[in-house]
Amino acid sequence: LLATPVLALGRPVGTAGSVIFGMVTSTDQRVNLEDHNLQMLTTDMVGKNSSSGVLINLSRQVVGIIRQEEGEEDGTRTLTAYGIADLLPIIRKLSNGQQIAHLGITGTDVPEEAHEEGGVPRGAYVTGIRMDSPAMRAGIQSGDVITKLGTAEISSFSDYQDALLNLSPNSEITVTLMRQGQPEYQEMTLEVILEG
């Protein structure tokens, strides 16, 4: 996608029916949202903080959904968008009338150096917990590494996202995780009721 010509359609300049043409200038950032990490596309186009709409390529394929920014409504900014590839599994599930299960964490992959040099196990590394979430009620903490959701093995945050999408809200699952102890990581299992 890098250096791909794109059109921003919708409300890229804050008014309905506006269009901007430009290029994707960066694809290597990710945004950590609750239970999902999404690719961020940065463009060379300038829009409003209230911008919304989609990015399409010259083959008329949607490649991103424009991200709204908080702030003064008439402020300007470089347009960014969530990459559509990361959103498609969520969109498919919702369009089929299914709910998305939530555990309530933010996280990332365990860096290779941390695994090799620090002995941090592979899995979904928990960086934050939403207050009053299933994760918090079950006792999951920042710094834990989730290695299994139910029967699904987790070796990356992407594995975690995929496994969570295959689960149903209000279902009870076993979360297997590794927690830093003295002197090494200890395995724990916690029972969690997911929410929708």
Side-chain angles (χ1 to χ4, degrees):
L1 281 174
L2 189 61
T4 299
V6 290
L7 290 169
L9 304 174
R11 296 178 56 91
V13 295
T15 56
S18 52
V19 178
I20 307 175
F21 179 77
M23 302 282 275
V24 174
T25 57
S26 174
T27 61
D28 59 354
Q29 280 189 309
R30 296 197 72 76
V31 175
N32 298 337
L33 303 173
E34 184 180 311
D35 293 324
H36 300 283
N37 288 348
L38 303 176
Q39 180 184 38
M40 184 59 57
L41 307 177
T42 305
T43 71
D44 61 357
M45 298 178 274
V46 176
K48 298 286 187 182
N49 287 336
S50 60
S51 297
S52 63
V54 296
L55 295 182
I56 63 168
N57 63 19
L58 298 182
S59 299
R60 294 178 282 179
Q61 299 168 318
V62 175
V63 295
I65 296 180
I66 296 172
R67 179 181 180 199
Q68 287 187 338
E69 296 285 335
E70 293 182 18
E72 295 181 28
E73 191 167 316
D74 58 356
T76 59
R77 65 176 175 97
T78 300
L79 287 183
T80 57
Y82 298 115
I84 196 70
D86 291 340
L87 292 171
L88 281 177
I90 298 167
I91 293 168
R92 280 190 197 106
K93 191 162 185 171
L94 292 173
S95 66
N96 288 326
Q98 299 172 313
Q99 290 186 329
I100 304 293
H102 294 280
L103 183 58
I105 69 163
T106 53
T108 188
D109 292 343
V110 173
E112 193 60 35
E113 314 81 57
H115 173 70
E116 290 178 3
E117 297 169 18
V120 180
R122 292 191 196 282
Y125 185 84
V126 179
T127 59
I129 309 285
R130 178 173 48 86
M131 295 297 285
D132 199 33
S133 65
M136 178 172 269
R137 288 189 293 273
I140 297 173
Q141 301 174 4
S142 292
D144 288 346
V145 180
I146 297 173
T147 57
K148 208 175 203 184
L149 273 184
T151 58
E153 298 286 335
I154 308 298
S155 60
S156 66
F157 201 81
S158 179
D159 289 348
Y160 166 80
Q161 294 175 135
D162 294 343
L164 192 59
L165 276 174
N166 289 321
L167 297 170
S168 301
N170 305 314
S171 60
E172 185 172 348
I173 64 158
T174 301
V175 176
T176 305
L177 56 85
M178 301 294 284
R179 180 170 289 165
Q180 179 69 55
Q182 295 296 332
E184 58 191 26
Y185 277 82
Q186 308 291 321
E187 183 175 274
M188 298 177 66
T189 57
L190 302 169
E191 297 302 315
V192 180
I193 298 175
L194 300 172
E195 65 184 25

